[in-house]
Amino acid sequence: MIYSRSNFLSEKDLREFPVLDDDGFLMKYFKQVCADTKMKEQTLSLPYFLELQTPPKLDPTKYGALIVLDTYYCFNSAWTLEIIRNNMMSKPEYASMLDSVNALLEKYRKFVSSFVTDWHLSDDVSKSELLDETVYAKILNSVVVPTDNVKTYVQYERNAAEKEEPIYGLITLFTCYAFWPILFRTFGTDIPESNLYREWIIGNQGGHSAIAVDGIVQTYWLDAGHSLDKDKVQNIIEDCLMCEYKMFKEG
């Protein structure tokens, strides 16, 4: 199992979404913000990424520490996506994208539930409770001590979901889907079998999650005649990129 929030959708899953031949507005804008802020270079210069190089020097404990923090983030992010979807249901301008957002939510919830079942975080939860926020909030809070940055990141996304137009909530989640592939693709695919983290590195290069969201925003929002506040989009991306940088720094 590749624990990649950037790639929880498979190639087959992408058939359920409007996939663009080229990058849509969101991906192009995201790449421009990354270039302007040099956040990609700053993040790749952190010890976490330097120690992933072949031969790897990354302590498995540090790898595991990041996975634990990411588990906490991903569960909360899935619940945030559910809030975004629910808010969309009451607004007619989002009707055309609901099927795609529902499909995205279904795949994300399935992905995050695998953390608990595969990593044996709990053995007393029934299948019917696998995706219940109350149950898993209790589990996470009992086993994970999130850093201040991760708590800030989670709350930032939740605030966007609850207080902003749903499209901006979706864009807030897009940053985490898009940034990891950009980072891990710098390693290329010619990674020796001897590199302990080979599958982890390659598994984060696909970016199917970002491709799906980019297609949703482009096809069902922009192409439908709706607009986006570019300054707001830039602020969202910059804020989320900083949280991502800090997470890898902590990892």
Side-chain angles (χ1 to χ4, degrees):
M1 173 71 184
I2 301 298
Y3 295 93
S4 171
R5 53 176 148 124
S6 66
N7 209 30
F8 61 84
L9 299 177
S10 66
E11 287 281 359
K12 182 178 178 181
D13 292 332
L14 281 182
R15 298 173 189 171
E16 301 178 36
F17 301 91
V19 177
L20 309 173
D21 291 333
D22 299 307
D23 292 346
F25 164 82
L26 203 53
M27 186 63 76
K28 290 177 180 176
Y29 202 74
F30 179 81
K31 290 178 179 178
Q32 186 60 55
V33 174
C34 281
D36 292 344
T37 60
K38 299 188 183 304
M39 191 55 71
K40 172 186 173 183
E41 290 76 13
Q42 291 182 51
T43 306
L44 288 172
S45 69
L46 291 171
Y48 186 91
F49 282 98
L50 295 178
E51 293 173 9
L52 274 178
Q53 304 289 337
T54 301
K57 299 178 182 179
L58 182 65
D59 187 330
T61 301
K62 293 180 180 179
Y63 165 79
L66 182 71
I67 291 293
V68 171
L69 288 178
D70 199 45
T71 301
Y72 184 90
Y73 166 84
C74 285
F75 266 95
N76 281 280
S77 187
W79 298 325
T80 295
L81 180 57
E82 186 168 357
I83 293 172
I84 294 168
R85 187 279 311 275
N86 292 344
N87 289 340
M88 287 180 173
M89 293 174 68
S90 64
K91 297 175 179 286
E93 61 267 36
Y94 293 97
S96 62
M97 71 173 67
L98 271 177
D99 285 347
S100 289
V101 174
N102 278 325
L104 186 72
L105 176 59
E106 177 189 354
K107 299 297 191 299
Y108 201 8
R109 290 175 63 164
K110 182 179 179 181
F111 163 67
V112 296
S113 68
S114 69
F115 278 104
V116 175
T117 55
D118 291 358
W119 285 55
H120 305 289
L121 297 183
S122 177
D123 59 3
D124 60 355
V125 178
S126 67
K127 289 185 178 179
S128 63
E129 296 175 313
L130 272 176
L131 302 173
D132 184 277
E133 178 174 359
T134 302
V135 173
Y136 275 98
K138 182 177 180 180
I139 294 172
L140 290 177
N141 290 332
S142 67
V143 299
V144 180
V145 181
T147 62
D148 288 342
N149 171 61
V150 172
K151 288 189 288 186
T152 297
Y153 197 5
V154 165
Q155 191 59 52
Y156 182 88
E157 291 187 342
R158 188 61 59 93
N159 288 342
E162 294 175 342
K163 299 175 182 179
E164 298 283 355
E165 272 291 316
I167 195 66
Y168 292 108
L170 194 58
I171 291 172
T172 303
L173 299 183
F174 174 83
T175 299
C176 84
Y177 302 161
F179 194 42
W180 283 38
I182 287 176
L183 295 171
F184 284 91
R185 284 172 188 168
T186 61
F187 287 83
T189 56
D190 188 21
I191 301 171
E193 294 283 350
S194 59
N195 188 323
L196 177 65
Y197 301 104
R198 182 177 185 274
E199 295 302 319
W200 164 246
I201 294 169
I202 294 176
N204 277 294
Q205 294 179 358
H208 299 149
S209 312
I211 291 170
V213 173
D214 195 27
I216 291 171
V217 172
Q218 183 70 52
T219 303
Y220 298 126
W221 191 258
L222 295 174
D223 290 352
H226 304 295
S227 62
L228 287 172
D229 183 329
K230 292 185 177 181
D231 289 339
K232 180 176 288 189
V233 173
Q234 178 169 340
N235 289 336
I236 287 172
I237 293 174
E238 288 181 351
D239 290 343
C240 291
L241 281 174
M242 180 54 67
C243 289
E244 291 286 346
Y245 167 81
K246 289 180 179 178
M247 182 180 285
F248 281 111
K249 187 176 183 180
E250 293 164 343

